[in-house]
Amino acid sequence: MSPEHPAGVRMAERDSAFEAQLIQHLKGLRIGIPLHAFATVPSTMDEAHLLASQSAPEGTLVVATQQTQGRGRLGRAWVSPAGGLYLSLILRPRRSLGETPQLSLVAGLATAEAVQERTGLVPMIRWPNDLLVNGAKLAGILVESYSYTSPDHGPSLPAPAVIVGIGINVTTDLRVLPEGAVSLAAAGASCDPNELLAALCRRLEAWYDTWTSHGFDPIRAALRSRLAFVGQPVHVRSAATRLEGILSDVDERGRLLLRLDSGLLRAVEMGEVVLLR
Ligand code: BT5
């Protein structure tokens, strides 16, 4: 029997064998425990939101071998067959709400370092949430935050949750992925996905702790050498604007800095970065 959420939402069945295997790799970490591992879920984000609404602690990790309704930003789909790594992490940041978007770059940095550690590949970070290898998309990051308030919760309500979702193509068949995607295998790298997950949790824990204690400055410094398209002409599209300029840097708040034709430096809060050729 699947457990029932109090509100009547049915949670997916956990995969205890997969969970036991992963736990071995996550010993001693705060990020990654408690662990909820599944064979198939609609989206690890939904499982994580459900757990967060039930007061799951910071560090709780949801992992699945595949997703049937994986999602990206703005309602876009994340194609999630077997062969990828799909996870959502519950955080309860002790920093201001305005800094939450920085977690996308914190997670991007941790993911890039973990991939490099386990494979030797050096992924670049396409602001604000993609990892690229040879210009193709290897991984994507999705940050969603909600404050779970209900009249029942009272003063013991935990800090608002932020869910950080990460999808990485490990051995995923390129034929089922959108154009412009790549997997570790297709880039010529092989690695044990459990080892990759453990490396990712270690890096996430280290960078998240740094961010919690010192803010965005150290993240910004570490990001510089990994930021894709620096010095190159790009356009940045969002619902409201379309800007063209030379991608220059990320500022002290995590915004993208574009040098416009006029010479002015413009800070961008959100959007899609596309290289102009
Ligand atoms: C993202 O969105 O890149 C965030 C992806 C987050 C996925 C993780 S998996 C675990 C957790 N559970 C979820 O349900 N989601 C998170 P965005 O920047 O909006 O990019 C989406 C676009 O990436 C799509 O429109 C496609 O063009 C492309 N795409 C989709 N699936 C892909 C894949 N597997 N590999 C590379 N690109 C993909």
Side-chain angles (χ1 to χ4, degrees):
M1 279 273 290
S2 302
E4 288 283 343
H5 178 242
V9 180
R10 188 172 282 273
M11 286 190 85
E13 195 88 48
R14 283 162 78 172
D15 181 336
S16 50
F18 181 31
E19 218 160 80
Q21 203 183 40
L22 287 178
I23 287 277
Q24 296 303 319
H25 292 267
L26 300 175
K27 279 196 178 130
L29 291 171
R30 277 179 296 108
I31 293 293
I33 308 290
L35 174 70
H36 294 247
F38 298 92
T40 304
V41 285
S43 163
T44 55
M45 299 305 282
D46 295 339
E47 295 296 329
H49 280 295
L50 195 52
L51 289 164
S53 72
Q54 297 165 344
S55 304
E58 172 160 285
T60 301
L61 184 67
V62 177
V63 184
T65 40
Q66 49 185 332
Q67 303 181 111
T68 53
Q69 288 165 43
R71 63 173 177 265
R73 296 177 299 157
L74 306 167
R76 290 188 285 247
W78 184 255
V79 181
S80 312
L85 193 56
Y86 311 108
L87 59 98
S88 293
L89 172 67
I90 299 178
L91 297 174
R92 298 189 182 276
R94 291 174 303 283
R95 297 199 66 90
S96 72
L97 209 58
E99 293 167 282
T100 302
Q102 295 168 2
L103 283 171
S104 179
L105 293 166
V106 173
L109 179 59
T111 310
E113 286 188 351
V115 166
Q116 186 169 350
E117 177 192 317
R118 300 313 309 172
T119 67
L121 294 173
V122 184
M124 300 300 279
I125 297 170
R126 176 167 59 192
W127 182 92
N129 72 317
D130 292 339
L131 256 59
L132 304 180
V133 169
N134 302 327
K137 185 157 168 173
L138 174 76
I141 288 152
L142 178 65
V143 175
E144 294 180 342
S145 49
Y146 289 113
S147 150
Y148 302 96
T149 45
S150 102
D152 313 316
H153 273 105
S156 62
L157 185 71
V162 174
I163 314 291
V164 177
I166 305 176
I168 309 175
N169 302 319
V170 181
T171 56
T172 326
D173 184 348
L174 287 197
R175 288 169 300 185
V176 301
L177 292 181
E179 215 187 306
V182 72
S183 67
L184 291 175
S190 65
C191 77
D192 175 345
N194 296 348
E195 299 277 5
L196 178 60
L197 178 71
L200 178 51
C201 288
R202 274 196 304 276
R203 303 278 176 166
L204 277 168
E205 187 168 305
W207 282 117
Y208 179 64
D209 286 352
T210 299
W211 178 78
T212 302
S213 311
H214 304 290
F216 190 67
D217 278 354
I219 314 298
R220 184 185 183 206
L223 265 178
R224 282 224 169 86
S225 61
R226 295 191 178 268
L227 194 60
F229 310 144
V230 172
Q232 296 185 262
V234 295
H235 70 234
V236 185
R237 283 181 312 214
S238 72
T241 51
R242 186 184 186 283
L243 288 169
E244 279 188 23
I246 303 293
L247 193 149
S248 296
D249 200 352
V250 165
D251 76 1
E252 68 290 346
R253 288 168 47 190
R255 298 176 304 179
L256 187 71
L257 291 175
L258 270 191
R259 175 80 59 194
L260 305 180
D261 274 355
S262 62
L264 278 178
L265 211 49
R266 173 84 174 259
V268 183
E269 305 252 358
M270 63 176 71
E272 312 286 324
V273 173
V274 180
L275 188 60
L276 288 173
R277 296 189 191 267

